[in-house]
Amino acid sequence: MRAAASTVLVFLSPQEAVIATDSLSNRVEGGGPRLVCKIAQVSDHMLFASTGIGVAEYPPFDPYALAKISSTNSRTPREAALKYASAALGPLQRVWGVARARYLKIQKESGPEAKGVPHPQSFVFVGLDQNGNIAAVGSDFVEDSSTPYKLRAEDLQEFTTKNSYSFVSLGVRGSVPSAEVIDAWIYKDKIGAPAALKRGIEEQIGATPKLVGPPISIVRLSRDGSLQWVSRGVCK
């Protein structure tokens, strides 16, 4: 069972979306870390990324396969996210029942820089909305404070880019620079979004190397729907 604590960063502009993730995955049941791809192309013009609980053998759970199913016949990231939030809750709840103690132990041992780890899972779909604008829509699965150990999906968060820019971070992000710093790297220092997101994840790796690690995968989605891998990392 993979507990891919993970750092996922997303930059959105009217022209493109850039997604960057680390590759380190810890197994909840113990054993050495592994390297896994945390970005999935779930349809022709839609991408999915998640942090927290990843692929589990028992109880069975595969967020990437479920994201592909959720994107089928979904015209927008919002439609796919709504389907995923509903479909993933049951199997994720079963996994959480088995993995919770070990998962929180990993987080506790990783220190205060591990902000974001307690969420069982966070996810985001990135693609084109109904108006052809680039959008990112996602949510967090969290424990319900009124019912210990019971999970619920928080309200969807939606970021669109018709006339603006957005920066989205998921997972372990206590040492990821602020949106203002990322923005300055992109536009003032002119290093571009892929390099800026890579630098942001590298800072988190330096702070929490047991939770977040290289290589870094980066993919770009243009408004015309085309995809370009800037750096595949372990993604095939």
Side-chain angles (χ1 to χ4, degrees):
M1 182 185 301
R2 302 172 190 165
S6 311
T7 298
V8 175
L9 303 182
V10 184
F11 171 77
L12 304 165
S13 76
Q15 293 78 36
E16 66 175 6
V18 179
I19 305 175
T21 75
D22 76 303
S23 299
L24 185 65
S25 174
N26 291 290
R27 295 185 65 84
V28 172
E29 65 269 34
R34 299 184 180 183
L35 300 180
V36 299
C37 178
K38 302 175 184 180
I39 305 173
Q41 182 178 353
V42 294
S43 70
D44 288 343
H45 310 302
M46 198 180 302
L47 297 161
F48 170 85
S50 69
T51 69
I53 298 295
V55 176
E57 293 81 19
Y58 184 81
F61 178 59
D62 186 337
Y64 306 102
L66 190 56
K68 288 184 179 180
I69 294 172
S70 300
S71 68
T72 301
N73 298 323
S74 293
R75 296 170 296 175
T76 66
R78 179 176 178 80
E79 288 185 22
L82 283 169
K83 294 176 184 177
Y84 180 87
S86 176
L89 182 58
L92 188 59
Q93 178 70 69
R94 291 188 286 273
V95 173
W96 189 239
V98 174
R100 182 182 187 275
R102 172 64 179 167
Y103 189 79
L104 296 182
K105 183 174 184 290
I106 292 172
Q107 184 273 335
K108 184 178 181 180
E109 293 173 347
S110 299
E113 291 81 8
K115 177 183 177 183
V117 176
H119 289 329
Q121 189 185 82
S122 299
F123 70 90
V124 63
F125 286 83
V126 180
L128 304 179
D129 67 13
Q130 64 274 17
N131 297 314
N133 298 312
I134 293 175
V137 184
S139 182
D140 301 316
F141 289 101
V142 300
E143 287 193 333
D144 192 324
S145 59
S146 63
T147 310
Y149 309 149
K150 184 176 181 180
L151 301 182
R152 62 177 176 83
E154 293 193 318
D155 292 341
L156 292 181
Q157 298 182 49
E158 186 166 5
F159 302 86
T160 57
T161 60
K162 182 178 180 180
N163 297 306
S164 63
Y165 301 84
S166 296
F167 173 68
V168 183
S169 62
L170 285 74
V172 186
R173 56 191 186 276
S175 296
V176 172
S178 67
E180 291 75 17
V181 171
I182 297 287
D183 185 78
W185 287 347
I186 295 172
Y187 295 107
K188 184 178 179 180
D189 297 344
K190 299 185 184 302
I191 68 172
L197 299 190
K198 181 175 184 288
R199 183 185 292 182
I201 293 180
E202 287 172 341
E203 293 203 7
Q204 187 63 57
I205 290 173
T208 54
K210 293 183 179 180
L211 294 177
V212 184
I216 296 170
S217 301
I218 306 172
V219 64
R220 172 186 279 127
L221 171 67
S222 299
R223 188 174 179 180
D224 64 7
S226 61
L227 294 173
Q228 176 192 11
W229 283 94
V230 179
S231 175
R232 284 189 173 270
V234 296
C235 296
K236 297 181 180 179

